[in-house]
Amino acid sequence: MTAVLRILLRRVALLVPLMLGIVLFVFLVMRFSDVDPASAFFQGANPTPQQLHDFREEHGLLDPLPVRYADFVADLLHGDLGTSALTRAPVIDQVATALPLTLQLTFLGLGIAVVLSLVGGVTAAIHRDRLPDQIIRVVSLTGVAAPGFWLALLMIQYLAVDLGWFPTGGYINPADSFTGWLKTMTLPAFALSLPVAAQLTRIVRTAVVEELDKDYVRTAIGSGLPPRVVVGRNVLRNALINPLTVLGLRVGYLLGGAVVIETIFSLPGMGKLMIDAVKNGDPAVVQGVVLTTAAGFVVVNLVIDVLYLLVNPRLRDATP
């Protein structure tokens, strides 16, 4: 068994109590909220008190809290996120429909952020304290200060309304038209990714500068190796350790920011599903979306941990 596999198994084992804690937190928040599942189920139907009582008894809402939590965890283990009070459909079906779009938006935005930050950060580091570095610094600071929703509105106004290059909203399935999908996803992905790219650019720039100042880089360049070879083979691998850690935390921002971005661009993803559920008083859907998003954040951070180990052999070898 390799060191990476041992560490991976250890990380997976730690996820179990973490997920149980997340499930407990979401369970308690929803149970102590003002939304009554029975009233939400019968909304608009003027149910009698007996009907409300029968519904609560049938769904275990009158059981003690520990029993309800145990039943809730058991249902989750069987893939049951509950039933929507509005559509009477299983929440898992609605999540399965909305989740792919949110994943497309999140990972497209993540890819854009990684590419922009690597290009900008490395360029700024190589040309430190010169004009390219100064320009990239101003642009990145502006990107950090600009909220994603504000960028989204600007893009809609200038790139969609004024120039007509992109649609103002909506979604086209890539199976129907890849070009149409790309047009509908470009503005949301850039609006979501630019603040993250701006933050990562500063971190990549600092990490690369620190690495370029080390003795082995000067020795390699002095021995005749082209600077681009030294940067590509050695500097980047060592410098990407810190940005990878920050990237794992920024994935949570991307998942959370997707809620606002999907609403602005009328994308039928997890964010819009949750917003609609909150407005319509559908607690099961809200609960299902929050749990799914939290689970996705945990899994992505597990992947980032593995990548961190792969690019940092010293940490991997030092781990017992």
Side-chain angles (χ1 to χ4, degrees):
M1 184 182 297
T2 64
V4 173
L5 184 57
R6 288 198 303 270
I7 296 170
L8 178 61
L9 292 176
R10 190 178 306 147
R11 294 284 197 277
V12 171
L14 291 175
L15 293 185
V16 176
L18 176 61
M19 284 305 303
L20 286 176
I22 293 173
V23 170
L24 177 61
F25 176 77
V26 173
F27 173 82
L28 292 176
V29 168
M30 296 305 298
R31 294 309 174 275
F32 288 107
S33 68
D34 295 332
V35 179
D36 179 18
S39 300
F41 185 83
F42 288 105
Q43 56 181 321
N46 296 321
T48 64
Q50 185 61 42
Q51 286 178 311
L52 292 173
H53 181 273
D54 292 342
F55 178 89
R56 295 187 180 106
E57 187 174 22
E58 179 184 354
H59 292 81
L61 300 177
L62 301 179
D63 294 337
L65 204 59
V67 175
R68 293 168 60 187
Y69 177 68
D71 293 339
F72 180 60
V73 173
D75 290 339
L76 289 179
L77 293 176
H78 288 87
D80 184 5
L81 292 175
T83 302
S84 169
L86 187 64
T87 65
R88 307 296 194 267
V91 174
I92 188 67
D93 292 343
Q94 299 184 51
V95 170
T97 301
L99 182 59
L101 189 148
T102 298
L103 292 179
Q104 293 170 26
L105 177 60
T106 300
F107 286 103
L108 185 58
L110 183 63
I112 293 172
V114 169
V115 171
L116 291 179
S117 61
L118 283 178
V119 173
V122 173
T123 302
I126 294 175
H127 300 87
R128 73 175 87 173
D129 298 328
R130 285 179 280 174
L131 183 60
D133 184 24
Q134 301 297 335
I135 294 175
I136 292 173
R137 180 179 302 174
V138 172
V139 172
S140 61
L141 289 176
T142 303
V144 170
F149 72 88
W150 181 74
L151 292 174
L153 295 175
L154 286 182
M155 290 178 181
I156 290 175
Q157 179 62 46
Y158 292 108
L159 299 180
V161 176
D162 293 346
L163 298 177
W165 291 352
F166 301 95
T168 57
Y171 175 73
I172 297 177
N173 194 300
D176 299 330
S177 171
F178 179 78
T179 303
W181 171 81
L182 195 59
K183 286 185 177 180
T184 57
M185 296 295 288
T186 297
L187 292 187
F190 269 96
L192 185 64
S193 66
L194 287 180
V196 176
Q199 295 173 0
L200 286 176
T201 296
R202 303 304 306 156
I203 296 171
V204 170
R205 189 257 185 204
T206 301
V208 173
V209 165
E210 291 177 354
E211 204 65 27
L212 287 173
D213 288 337
K214 292 186 177 178
D215 292 337
Y216 81 89
V217 176
R218 289 192 290 268
T219 302
I221 295 177
S223 65
L225 286 176
R228 64 177 181 277
V229 174
V230 177
V231 172
R233 290 183 181 178
N234 304 104
V235 173
L236 273 182
R237 182 181 180 122
N238 295 328
L240 289 181
I241 294 175
N242 289 336
L244 263 180
T245 305
V246 177
L247 182 63
L249 300 175
R250 292 294 90 193
V251 171
Y253 167 84
L254 292 172
L255 288 170
V259 174
V260 178
I261 298 300
E262 287 175 0
T263 303
I264 293 175
F265 287 95
S266 299
L267 298 175
M270 294 283 280
K272 190 172 186 302
L273 179 63
M274 185 170 70
I275 294 296
D276 291 343
V278 171
K279 291 192 297 185
N280 296 323
D282 201 342
V285 174
V286 175
Q287 181 176 267
V289 171
V290 171
L291 286 174
T292 304
T293 304
F297 178 71
V298 170
V299 171
V300 169
N301 276 273
L302 174 63
V303 174
I304 294 296
D305 285 344
V306 174
L307 293 176
Y308 186 82
L309 293 170
L310 291 176
V311 301
N312 191 358
R314 290 173 298 179
L315 178 62
R316 181 173 68 245
D317 296 338
T319 304

